[in-house]
Amino acid sequence: MRLNFQAIDPKWQQKWANELKQHRQDANLSTEKAYIVPMFPYPSGNLHLGHFRVYTIADVLARYNQMKGRKTILPMGWDAFGLPAENAAIERGVDPAAWTIQNIAKMKEQLGAMGGRWDWDREIMTCDPAFYKHTQRIFLLLHERGLAYQAEALVNFDPIDRTVLANEQVDANGFSWRSGAKVEQIRLKQWFLRITAFKEALLDDFDALERSGRWPERVCAMQRNWLGKSTGARVWFEVKDSLRSQSLPRIEVFTTRPDTLFGVRYLALALDHPLVVQLAKQDPALQAFLDRAPFSPDSKDGFLLSQLQAKNPAGQFAPEGSKVEQPLPIYVAPYVLSDYGSGAVMGVPAHDTRDFQFWKRHQGECGPDDFVIIPDSDSLFVPVVIRDSPFVHKGKLTLDCGVFAGMGSDDAAQNLIALLEWTPQVENPGSDPHATLASSWRLRDWLISRQRYWGTPIPIVHCQSCGPVPVPVDELPVELPRLKEGQLKGRSGNPLEEIEEWVNTRCPSCGQHARRESDTMDTFMDSSWYFFRYADPGNEQQLVSPEAADAFLPVDIYIGGVEHAILHLLYARFISKFLAQTPLWPSGGGPENMGEPFKTLITQGMVHGRTFSDPQTGRFLRPEEVDLTNPKEPRLVATDERPVVSFEKMSKSKYNGVDPSACIASYGADVTRAHMLFLAPVSEILEWDEDRIVGIQRWFHRIWRIVQNLSGNEFDPNNPPQSPKLESLISDDVSLYLTLQKTIRSVESSFSQTHALNTVISDLMTLTNSLDDRLNPQNAGSALQYCIASSLLRMLAPIAPAFTEECWETLHLSCTSATIFDHPFPNAISDAEILRLEASMLQPCAVQINGRLKFVTRIPVPAAELSEDPAQRDELTTWILQRLADTEEGGKLFDDLKKPDEIPRSGRLQKVIVVKGGRTVNFVVKKDNK
């Protein structure tokens, strides 16, 4: 009887739901925990295959850990704040809260259909006041310690969504990552979190994360790059204004190449540098230039501040008459980033590609005296060859560098900065240095203000007398006001500032009239700590108790897409390290964990769908435009041409999306799960090919047939038979038992260490084939057959829970059996036992002479490393011949030929061919000439 995979899903899902509470109570007795968290989804209304992949991986690992006897937690929640809900309210007049709750219900139903073992009693929604009350509490804790502050800043403003974006939310071309709008830069007073106070810990603690491959190297590299620590020097240039007599503040520059200081030919300032802002108030031409922003990322535009000139501090060490002593022009240039260094750069056109291009646009080509670094192989006394590109490498300094001529770049940089730091002190004690060694970081404080309704309100009120005042903790949460029907329809921007009954309040400090902060928090704030809340979801007083934090955290396995490698993971590390400095998580997970939130990180690859495009135009084709009568030979309906077939990121515009609910309805949850896991390693892109799912179906049907053939056994899974008596087994049965033991080891390693879940499936397929080949239905009571079938089902259970439950029930018809997940994951025998079995195991060996069978005997099975390694072919041949010589038939043969160790030198014997690990041995012998 064939099994209907779709029909068994509801049966077992209902049974799991009924028994889940008891399982949790039993798990509480375990001292070892497995806290497994997949990144929670935004409730868009539909799960896509990418969701299905990450949640399948999480469920598989949770079920494995459950079978290993660990207290396993697999929670689920909803990243429920965000722009899509608010945009729905704007476009259709719906309530964002109602829209979100409706979507959550639908997605929760989809999650149930996939067969997951979710701990729904820990479910959270970030839009629930009971949750965001604690998000607000974290903000206040940060504010108390000076880590949350308000400041005016030039910000990225999305003119479509009418909200501020963090730098990370603007792509390289200046467009919003959400709306796609061209981002504008405006000045606003915003709230920031001082993540830079944790920059050293965020960088240094990567050593612990990378230990034993706990975090992917790619993710660590991306975060290191985002933190962007650079070592170099700060250099100060004096500035003169030819139109005014008052002195101007020195311009500070950070450089990673202080050895090029003698080659500085101009300074460039960012658009919002304080000096630029000050001058623009009196200079309409400069203001007009600034109003042209934003410029393209590779812009070479610049505005010359003609009245200003700077002095190079290295000029005092240059030869008299050197170009280094000349005044430096100062430009305003959009290529200078305000958030790098101090928003000013020194232009060295002969030794920097970007500066070279800018200088060429505004001043012309570089001359020979602009090159102050030359290759080590060049002579100091030969004129510098004018290049058509900058020399950007390190080398040695030229004669224009005075006492530093001939010195290597690194030595020159160190000595020059030391002189510039101490010379002013010697000449005028107490004066400021001209330079000092320093580090610079790309990381900037986290801008969390958003001018939107659907987010966590910032718990601050603004009082004319007291200024910004924190909302008292006992008044949290500051709840979002209820919207009237259609209140957001057709409008943009932040409605909170216009809801008078909500925004008007009393100052908690003086009691006078005040206004609530109308900005809401970046939704990354919610996702930066939600995994703490899973540990203690019912705690009304604290976001998590210290006891719960110590019991659950850090998360043992965290699973999600690599697209979150920078923002979400960085913010989560920051908030976790901060909470480890509070009474909420004082242990921080122990001294080796250092407040990190996630022990092991798994980043799954994206899911790509099969895409059809027109071979003539490249246009993506709708499903109805392709004839798939023969899936291997698709044709265009209109022209009968073959379309171009490729696998692309799933999107509506490419018509290649796949609804996981439809797959489950067609094939069953477990077949869909196993197919997805088998198609690609977890970390790699998965090309979804539904045509190949038949392979998984056939495999499951084969297992089902095996189980049915063995269902007549009388073994009790609660009191299973001991390991079969190996002494009474024939070699093929011993070989089968060894295959089981090696499979257990490989599968265990894949589940617990490498997370190579596709390898688990291939290993179990091999074991299935081995068992099926040796299956004897007439001997259903065989302890060996039962042992292997039972182990196979228990190893497959995390991947295909409903299917293995059905098989388990059928395998134990003669007794009452609980769920398969009440039984432990198989354990492999010891290394010594495996070696003993391998040594005792015999295999048939057919001996041929010149291709004709001479006799069949039995010899030991060679070790896998000997039989499977092509480089060991000669060693395998010698080993097989020695084993043959030990047999009665082989001994007689070698009396005829030669002793085994003499065979390679025998004149009569030309060649020995060993096939299939010694199952066939062919001796090629010279024939007698008689």
Side-chain angles (χ1 to χ4, degrees):
M1 182 184 72
R2 290 175 70 83
L3 187 63
N4 184 331
F5 300 122
Q6 300 95 302
I8 62 175
D9 287 337
K11 168 186 173 180
W12 290 104
Q13 288 166 12
Q14 183 59 52
K15 187 170 183 178
W16 295 329
N18 295 338
E19 296 178 351
L20 191 56
K21 185 175 181 181
Q22 181 60 45
H23 290 162
R24 289 203 192 97
Q25 291 173 349
D26 295 342
N28 287 337
L29 302 176
S30 174
T31 57
E32 188 179 2
K33 60 98 176 175
Y35 184 22
I36 298 168
V37 180
M39 294 180 186
F40 63 172
Y42 177 78
S44 61
N46 286 291
L47 290 177
H48 53 66
L49 274 180
H51 288 127
F52 190 88
R53 189 182 194 192
V54 66
Y55 299 135
T56 297
I57 294 167
D59 184 61
V60 167
L61 296 179
R63 289 183 180 278
Y64 161 74
N65 279 280
Q66 176 188 345
M67 296 182 76
K68 293 296 289 183
R70 300 183 180 107
K71 180 179 180 180
T72 303
I73 304 96
L74 181 65
M76 178 52 69
W78 310 96
D79 193 8
F81 277 135
L83 288 174
E86 188 157 347
N87 287 341
I90 293 169
E91 293 166 10
R92 302 192 294 275
V94 300
D95 180 2
W99 185 85
T100 300
I101 297 299
Q102 177 182 338
N103 287 348
I104 286 174
K106 184 176 181 181
M107 293 175 71
K108 192 170 178 179
E109 183 179 344
Q110 290 178 297
L111 280 172
M114 65 168 282
R117 57 160 315 284
W118 308 105
D119 292 316
W120 288 116
D121 57 343
R122 298 182 183 275
E123 182 183 13
I124 58 170
M125 295 185 297
T126 60
C127 65
D128 183 351
F131 178 89
Y132 69 70
K133 164 186 178 178
H134 301 292
T135 307
Q136 293 172 339
R137 180 63 183 125
I138 292 173
F139 176 90
L140 293 179
L141 287 170
L142 289 159
H143 190 268
E144 288 170 10
R145 291 160 174 77
L147 296 173
Y149 65 94
Q150 197 175 26
E152 190 175 88
L154 190 68
V155 297
N156 304 308
F157 187 76
D158 185 323
I160 291 181
D161 285 333
R162 294 187 60 79
T163 190
V164 170
L165 304 174
N167 287 339
E168 308 88 73
Q169 295 167 326
V170 181
D171 69 19
N173 296 313
F175 292 94
S176 167
W177 74 319
R178 284 198 183 275
S179 73
K182 185 69 175 178
V183 172
E184 300 172 358
Q185 292 192 317
I186 62 175
R187 285 195 165 273
L188 283 178
K189 207 165 190 182
Q190 303 283 284
W191 284 97
F192 294 83
L193 299 184
R194 209 180 299 275
I195 189 174
T196 52
F198 288 76
K199 60 180 184 279
E200 294 287 356
L202 290 170
L203 180 63
D204 294 344
D205 294 347
F206 275 120
D207 292 340
L209 295 179
E210 289 180 308
R211 192 177 302 133
S212 302
R214 287 169 44 191
W215 276 46
E217 289 183 11
R218 177 186 177 190
V219 173
C220 293
M222 291 168 74
Q223 285 209 13
R224 279 197 174 97
N225 182 60
W226 190 257
L227 292 168
K229 184 178 183 180
S230 302
T231 56
R234 287 195 184 91
V235 183
W236 286 270
F237 292 78
E238 294 180 359
V239 181
K240 290 185 178 181
D241 187 337
S242 61
L243 302 181
R244 297 172 183 82
S245 58
Q246 76 266 29
S247 61
L248 294 172
R250 298 188 302 171
I251 292 177
E252 178 188 322
V253 167
F254 175 80
T255 177
T256 59
R257 291 291 304 275
D259 57 315
T260 65
L261 194 54
F262 290 97
V264 175
R265 297 297 178 260
Y266 68 95
L267 298 185
L269 308 179
L271 302 183
D272 61 343
H273 189 281
L275 182 56
V276 175
V277 174
Q278 176 186 337
L279 293 173
K281 294 176 182 177
Q282 293 87 34
D283 189 338
L286 173 57
Q287 186 59 55
F289 177 79
L290 299 178
D291 290 342
R292 289 170 51 196
F295 294 83
S296 64
D298 59 349
S299 171
K300 302 300 179 295
D301 289 322
F303 184 92
L304 177 64
L305 300 174
S306 55
Q307 77 274 27
L308 299 185
Q309 291 182 329
K311 179 182 179 182
N312 190 335
Q316 60 187 302
F317 307 116
E320 189 173 348
S322 167
K323 204 170 184 177
V324 185
E325 295 181 305
Q326 296 177 6
L328 302 173
I330 302 176
Y331 288 88
V332 179
Y335 81 81
V336 181
L337 303 177
S338 59
D339 59 357
Y340 182 78
S342 58
V345 300
M346 59 184 211
V348 188
H351 301 291
D352 181 273
T353 301
R354 183 189 52 191
D355 298 347
F356 180 87
Q357 294 169 346
F358 184 87
W359 186 254
K360 186 175 182 179
R361 164 89 173 267
H362 295 277
Q363 295 286 348
E365 302 289 347
C366 292
D369 50 357
D370 292 316
F371 289 87
V372 295
I373 308 287
I374 57 175
D376 290 326
S377 58
D378 286 7
S379 171
L380 287 177
F381 306 102
V382 175
V384 174
V385 177
I386 299 178
R387 303 168 180 265
D388 57 4
S389 62
F391 178 69
V392 298
H393 307 290
K394 292 183 179 181
K396 61 185 176 185
L397 277 63
T398 66
L399 295 175
D400 286 325
C401 302
V403 295
F404 299 95
M407 197 176 291
S409 286
D410 291 337
D411 290 341
Q414 200 164 11
N415 288 305
L416 176 57
I417 297 305
L419 281 174
L420 290 173
E421 184 171 9
W422 292 107
T423 299
Q425 296 288 331
V426 174
E427 296 176 351
N428 186 12
S431 60
D432 294 326
H434 292 312
T436 183
L437 293 174
S439 296
S440 181
W441 297 74
R442 182 186 177 193
L443 180 70
R444 288 295 174 264
D445 284 339
W446 177 10
L447 191 161
I448 64 164
S449 287
R450 297 294 181 269
Q451 291 69 45
R452 299 309 297 251
Y453 165 79
W454 194 233
T456 299
I458 294 175
I460 294 288
V461 297
H462 296 278
C463 174
Q464 286 189 341
S465 301
C466 306
V469 180
V471 173
V473 173
D474 60 4
E475 293 183 17
L476 298 180
V478 176
E479 292 195 41
L480 289 168
R482 284 193 168 276
L483 296 175
K484 298 174 184 176
E485 185 176 351
Q487 188 169 350
L488 291 184
K489 188 171 183 179
R491 62 152 296 150
S492 58
N494 186 359
L496 289 175
E497 59 191 7
E498 298 176 7
I499 303 177
E500 295 296 326
E501 64 272 22
W502 182 84
V503 78
N504 290 308
T505 186
R506 293 285 174 182
C507 174
S509 181
C510 69
Q512 298 300 309
H513 175 266
R515 288 178 65 85
R516 292 192 187 280
E517 173 60 64
S518 60
D519 284 356
T520 52
M521 297 188 208
D522 180 3
T523 54
F524 278 119
M525 186 67 180
D526 306 310
S527 60
S528 70
W529 75 276
Y530 74 103
F531 43 88
F532 277 87
R533 190 62 180 167
Y534 284 146
D536 202 5
N539 192 331
E540 296 181 3
Q541 303 305 315
Q542 297 173 295
L543 61 95
V544 65
S545 70
E547 296 77 17
D550 283 340
F552 286 86
L553 292 153
V555 173
D556 291 294
I557 302 176
Y558 195 52
I559 310 162
V562 74
E563 64 269 22
H564 300 293
I566 297 175
L567 303 185
H568 163 57
L569 291 174
L570 188 65
Y571 295 151
R573 294 182 63 218
F574 160 49
I575 294 299
S576 292
K577 288 180 178 296
F578 167 70
L579 291 177
Q581 297 180 356
T582 72
L584 294 169
W585 193 30
S587 73
E592 291 188 0
N593 190 63
M594 297 168 291
E596 289 290 342
F598 314 121
K599 275 187 183 178
T600 298
L601 175 68
I602 298 175
T603 52
Q604 91 281 356
M606 299 181 70
V607 180
H608 286 188
R610 187 163 59 170
T611 309
F612 300 101
S613 55
D614 190 308
Q616 305 301 325
T617 65
R619 179 179 64 85
F620 294 114
L621 301 172
R622 294 180 175 86
E624 61 269 21
E625 295 180 280
V626 183
D627 180 0
L628 291 174
T629 304
N630 180 356
K632 295 182 179 179
E633 294 276 342
R635 297 284 177 180
L636 270 68
V637 173
T639 65
D640 201 40
E641 290 182 276
R642 294 199 65 173
V644 176
V645 181
S646 61
F647 284 88
E648 309 276 349
K649 180 181 177 181
M650 289 185 178
S651 70
K652 292 179 181 178
S653 64
K654 296 174 183 174
Y655 311 106
N656 64 349
V658 176
D659 180 1
S661 297
C663 291
I664 291 172
S666 298
Y667 307 108
D670 289 353
V671 171
T672 306
R673 286 162 60 114
H675 179 58
M676 172 163 279
L677 295 174
F678 186 52
L679 283 177
V682 165
S683 61
E684 294 183 12
I685 290 174
L686 185 154
E687 295 182 345
W688 180 258
D689 186 353
E690 211 162 300
D691 295 340
R692 295 168 56 191
I693 203 167
V694 66
I696 297 294
Q697 290 177 311
R698 288 172 182 158
W699 175 40
F700 278 14
H701 282 305
R702 195 173 194 185
I703 293 174
W704 177 242
R705 191 185 73 247
I706 290 171
V707 167
Q708 286 182 306
N709 285 330
L710 297 179
S711 62
N713 78 82
E714 297 183 356
F715 295 118
D716 181 354
N718 297 306
N719 186 25
Q722 300 298 315
S723 298
K725 295 180 180 180
L726 302 175
E727 295 78 6
S728 62
L729 298 179
I730 62 174
S731 293
D732 284 347
D733 286 344
V734 175
S735 175
L736 181 59
Y737 186 71
L738 276 173
T739 299
L740 168 65
Q741 298 305 320
K742 292 176 180 179
T743 302
I744 293 173
R745 289 188 167 213
S746 176
V747 168
E748 178 99 40
S749 173
S750 295
F751 274 138
S752 62
Q753 298 175 29
T754 65
H755 306 119
L757 303 184
N758 61 317
T759 301
V760 171
I761 293 176
S762 61
D763 285 343
L764 295 181
M765 285 178 170
T766 301
L767 179 62
T768 302
N769 294 340
S770 298
L771 174 58
D772 198 25
D773 290 344
R774 292 288 302 161
L775 191 65
N776 181 2
Q778 305 304 317
N779 191 19
S782 160
L784 175 63
Q785 290 185 153
Y786 173 82
C787 173
I788 295 172
S790 167
S791 298
L792 170 63
L793 292 178
R794 283 178 287 150
M795 287 187 283
L796 179 58
I799 291 170
F803 171 65
T804 51
E805 289 275 35
E806 191 74 15
C807 291
W808 192 256
E809 183 180 70
T810 301
L811 186 63
H812 302 102
L813 289 176
S814 62
C815 62
T816 301
S817 174
T819 169
I820 192 173
F821 296 101
D822 283 346
H823 299 279
F825 197 83
N827 290 318
I829 60 178
S830 67
D831 289 343
E833 186 68 9
I834 286 178
L835 291 174
R836 186 182 73 80
L837 287 175
E838 287 179 334
S840 66
M841 193 170 62
L842 299 178
Q843 67 177 12
C845 176
V847 177
Q848 301 173 343
I849 295 180
N850 293 337
R852 303 184 70 174
L853 181 65
K854 183 76 173 177
F855 60 83
V856 177
T857 187
R858 301 183 72 82
I859 63 172
V861 176
E865 57 268 21
L866 194 63
S867 61
E868 296 173 6
D869 185 359
Q872 302 269 357
R873 185 176 57 186
D874 291 343
E875 289 80 359
L876 174 64
T877 299
T878 301
W879 190 91
I880 293 292
L881 294 176
Q882 290 171 341
R883 301 291 85 76
L884 271 177
D886 293 336
T887 67
E888 182 179 351
E889 301 91 333
K892 292 178 181 178
L893 176 68
F894 290 130
D895 284 344
D896 239 7
L897 297 172
K898 288 282 183 181
K899 292 181 181 177
D901 55 349
E902 295 175 354
I903 283 177
R905 300 187 298 275
S906 171
R908 186 180 170 202
L909 186 65
Q910 293 180 310
K911 195 174 185 180
V912 179
I913 303 171
V914 175
V915 183
K916 295 183 180 179
R919 288 180 175 268
T920 301
V921 179
N922 183 30
F923 294 93
V924 181
V925 181
K926 271 186 182 179
K927 294 182 180 180
D928 292 334
N929 294 322
K930 296 178 182 179

